[in-house]
Each structure stands twice: as C-alpha cells, then as structure tokens.
Amino acid sequence: MPAVALPQRRLANAIRALAMDAVQKANSGHPGAPMGMADIAEVLWRGVFKHNPKNPNWINRDRFVLSNGHGSMLQYALLHLTGYDLSIDDLKQFRQLHSRTPGHPEYGYTAGVETTTGPLGQGIANAVGFAIAEKTLAAQFNREGFEVIDHYTYTFLGDGCLMEGISHEVCSLAGTLKLGKLVAFYDDNGISIDGEVEGWFTDNTAQRFAAYGWQVIGPIDGHDSDAIRTAIIEAHSDTTRPSMIICKTVIGCGSPNKQGKEECHGAPLGAAEIAAAREAMAWDYDPFEIPADVYEAWDCSVKGDVLEKNWQGQFDAYQKAHPELAQELLRRLKGELPASFALQAKNYIEEVALKGETIASRKASQNALNAFGPLLPELLGGSADLAGSNLTLWKGCHGIQENAAGNYVFYGVREFGMSAIMNGIALHGGFIPYGATFLIFMEYARNAVRMSALMKQRVIYVFTHDSIGLGEDGPTHQPIEQLASLRGTPNMSVWRPADAVESAVAWLSSLQKNDGPSALIFSRQNLPHIERDALQLDNISKGGYVLAEEQGVLEAIIIATGSEIDLALKAQKILTEQGKGVRVVSMPSVDAFMAQDDAYRQKVLPNEVRARVAVEASHADYWYKFVGLDGKVIGMTSFGESAPIKDLYQHFGITVDAVVEAVNSLS
C-alpha cells in the first residue's frame, strides 16, 4: 500500500505529537492551536499547497501565513514533515537561544517561514499584502499563454486575530480589492487565554466577512478531512472574492483531559497528559519519533520539484517570447535597482540644487517621486486617505482598484492596516512599497512599523506634517515624541530633511537601503532653499555634515534638522557678528551619520568642542546624546497648542533669539 494511503488522522497526529513534545521539552509554548488545526494543515499542505521544500524561495510558490503565530509548532512541524531544512534536532531546540525554532515564527530564522507573526492580526494583514503583490505583479507581467505569476496566499487565524482592530482594516480592503487568491482558515475553537470567548467575543464572523465582500464557507468540521478539502475547492472556485473558511475545531484535540479547555492554550500539557494523549491517538512512539511510513507520506520534495520544473519550463518559454519582461521581472524579484538609477538620481539632485526652490518638503517629496517614479516601476505607493496632503500621488500613478496592473493603493483611513500590508508586499518581492500619513498617526501604525524594522524590509514610510508647524490643528495632530520613537527603533533609518535638496537625497538613500525600512519626515510649511557646495551636496547622504563653517576658531556648534535649520543659520549669523566662531551642522539622518567612521564624525562634531546646542521642534531629550549634559537643547518638552505657526514657535521658545542665548550661555 502506498504511503499516501495512510489514514489522514494518523498523519495529522504526527503534528500533534511533535507539538506537544516540543512544548513539553521547552516547558514553554502553545500546544492547543497546533493540535486543534492539525487536520486542516494536513489537508492543505499535503494535498493543495503549491511549494517546493528544497527551494523555499521558488518564485511561484503559494504563500502560507500563520497569523495566530503563538501556534508556531504547527508551522515547524509542517516544515519538518514536508521536507524543508528543519531537522528533528531543530524541533528539540524549540524556544531556545539562537534556535531555528523560536517561540513565534520569525522571518529569516527558518526556511519556509514567510513572515514574522505573533502580534495578533498582523499575519492576516501581511497575507493581504502578499495577495495584493501577487495580483498586481501578475497583471503587470503575465501575458497570454504565460501565467508565470499565479499562486495563492493561505492564512490560518484565530479568535484573537479577529478581535484585533487591524483585521477589520485589512479584511475590509481585501474584499474591496477582490483578492480572489486569498484564502483564510478561521480556527473557531471558542477559547482564548482568558477562557471561553463567548464572554467577550460574540461577533457573527460569517456576516461580518460577507459584508466585507468575502466568500464565506462553513462553518465546517475542522477535523473532517473531506469537509476541509471540499471547502478549499469551493474557495478556489471564486476568483473574484477572498474566501473565509470557518472551521469549528477543538483546541488541543487529542488531549483527553485538556482538549477544549483554556489550560491547553499556552502551557505544556504535562508528562501524564501527554502519555494519555499518545494512548488516545494510538501514537505508540517515543517523543520526537516519527515512523518512516509517516515521513514518506508527508514528504513533498518530489512533488514540489516537479511543480517547480514544470513552472520553470513555462518561464523559459516566457523568456524567449518576452525577454525584456522576463529580465525586468527577475531584476525586481531580486530587489535590485536599475543599473542606471543611481546616476540618474544624482543628476536629479544636482538639478534640484540648481533650481533652489523654497517649498514644503512634502512638495519636494512629490517632486522626487515624479523624477524617480518613471525610473522605478517597482514602486507601489499609497496613503491612508491623505494623498492630497501627503502628496504621494505622482504623475504616473494608477490605482490598483481600477487596474490591477497599477502602482498605487488607496488604503483608506487604515494607517495600521496599510503599514502591515506593505510588509507583506515587501516580503512577497517585486515591489518597493511606500505609504503615507501624518507623522502623528504613525502611532496608529506603530507596531507594524516596528515589524518592518524587525524583519529588515525595504518599506518606505512617508510621514508629513512633522511638527508644531502643523499649526491650527492643535496638539492632537502635532507630533512631539514620534521622532524619538522612530530614531530609537533598530534597523530603521529616519530622515528629516531641511529643504528640497535634502528631501531628494532622503528618497534616494531610502530606495537604496535594502536591509530595513525608512521613515521620511516632511514638513507642511515651506522651507527655504540652502546653498551648498559640491562637497556639502555629497555629504548629505552621510546623514550629518557641516552646512555652515565657523569664522575663525571653532567655539560652538549648532545641530539642527528640518525646518529648524533656518533658525540655526540665522542664529549663526548673529553670533558671527558678535565675534563667535559657530558652526552649523545639518543632521537630516542621525542613523546615517552614526554609521560613518569615527574620523568623519569627529570632523563634523569634534569631541573637544563641548559647547553644543541642538534645535528641533520635537522632543528635546533625544538630542542630549549629541550635546551632552553640559549642552542645551531647544525643543519641545510638552504637547503643542492650536495656533498659527509663528505664534507657536514663539510660544514654545523655538526661536532665533533662544538659539543665540543658548550658545552664548555655553561659550
């Protein structure tokens, strides 16, 4: 009898056994979800899921996202059983330091893990991003007879994901965008950490998703293989709507005394209960032991190799029929910028410097997009319903809701959803996503922004209306502490440019950065052009540079960013007339500056000059790392107020006179 004819329940029990064994050995983890969803996973991964375990990066593979990421042992068991590079010894190291099986799935740690999940709701948001990327990339590159981009995105999610507000944001948009190759499996087990969810979660999920424009299937028995298979076939039959398969399951299924109870959600079952579960499942094997026939039935290596070879044959024919398209697709999937882009961008920056416009940096950002956009078809932009304020629409933008081959997503008022979706788009490959909102509303998106940095994804955040310069909208809209938060985020690059020239450099640096996200911080108000020589122009990309040299002996340094550069230059003029040797340093990107060698940093900010003043219309405390405890910071120590911009700067003491006074008090 061929191995594939083994009872499916026995094959699913291999997942259950590995999950309970790994959690028990680690004395930490969540056995309930893996055991409850094992039957669903078996049907999907052995019979439907298009993948090649020997090449986890195959272009046209289906994507799988475990949104309920605490159930990570489900994914690790699947990867191990189907033939990925994840050994039984790796499973034994579950939740241990530097293991390939961390407590939640982490992108970059484990072959076959497509995204980092754990913060509930962001996995389904990433999945929406994968589905958008697939649909848009297919529309841009597929041609008659050549469906070279053609895959599904599958996601598992639980009650917790659906309780999080982000699930509403992204699933509503997924329905509107008609993402027909997105299939979600809802693990409807009625249990969360605090117990039975009926005390705090009574939503009619079926009606909710039907209202979003999804195809809703079920509820089905999540332990009935035939019902699961039939539901997947039904999901595939509708290519105009994403599908939600509601699966009624028993959490911890297979544990005779703890299944269906919260006590199996997030704690080891215990040796006695595991022994009882083994008996109940007729699983007569030692911990971490999988019999050969089960391994054989699970292994997808051969099937996956055939799938990829068949696709490769099609792609080879595509290359012959459409060589330029094929070359462009491969370039974009590798994440490489066009060979000519750097030089073209440098030429544009020089043009901006010569033009010398006094404009808001948000407008300068739009100008940069108009210059760079035609050169970079991989740009996939968007805004959280603020395109007219963020100025993220450039002349060549086309919304994907009207044309799937477009390059712009109208995200609606969904800052968090937008940011998490962009993570999925970046992870899929083929695009460089950028998305915009006011800087203050980064707070709505904060956890997704953090996930961009954690996963080191090239996601570009455009944050406009950057300070109390927002004016009359008042303290609810005026960012104070947000810049410090972004600058304190590992792997995040933050730029707050002072004029149109620095804005263009900020865009170029962000596009060239392929190991993490960037936050571009732009003003609402006009910023005057600053004259620079060739060396200063080149040094902008270093994040900090001497913008205005001192006259005579260097006595003091003023450090400024963005709109406050103008204050610093005016203060320097007064101080110079007073006979003081004062230097102005523009520091549009602290992280870029700190990445320079010590010699360069010393040249800009020599250690021996301790008389330092920093000025920025943001939280003052951040800048003490540069001015020291004996220096002074002109900035914000409170929330803002509603008033015209000039009145606000005067009221909060962010003025030329304040900078002059601060320098004089130190030197």
Side-chain angles (χ1 to χ4, degrees), residues 362-363 365-366 369-370 380-397 407-410 418 434-437 460-464 507 522:
R362 61 172 175 158
K363 179 61 180 176
S365 168
Q366 186 180 48
L369 282 169
N370 275 310
L380 184 60
S383 173
D385 201 51
L386 285 169
S389 293
N390 302 141
L391 302 184
T392 45
L393 282 166
W394 54 279
K395 293 176 182 178
C397 280
N407 59 1
Y408 196 88
V409 184
F410 291 89
M418 173 184 72
Y434 69 88
T437 186
I460 299 175
Y461 294 97
V462 177
F463 294 132
T464 69
W507 262 109
F522 296 126

Side-chain angles (χ1 to χ4, degrees), residues 575-597:
L575 289 160
T576 301
E577 291 171 352
Q578 295 175 356
K580 291 193 178 288
V582 179
R583 169 183 297 184
V584 174
V585 170
S586 177
M587 198 173 290
S589 177
V590 174
D591 57 276
F593 178 71
M594 295 305 295
Q596 306 305 311
D597 60 40

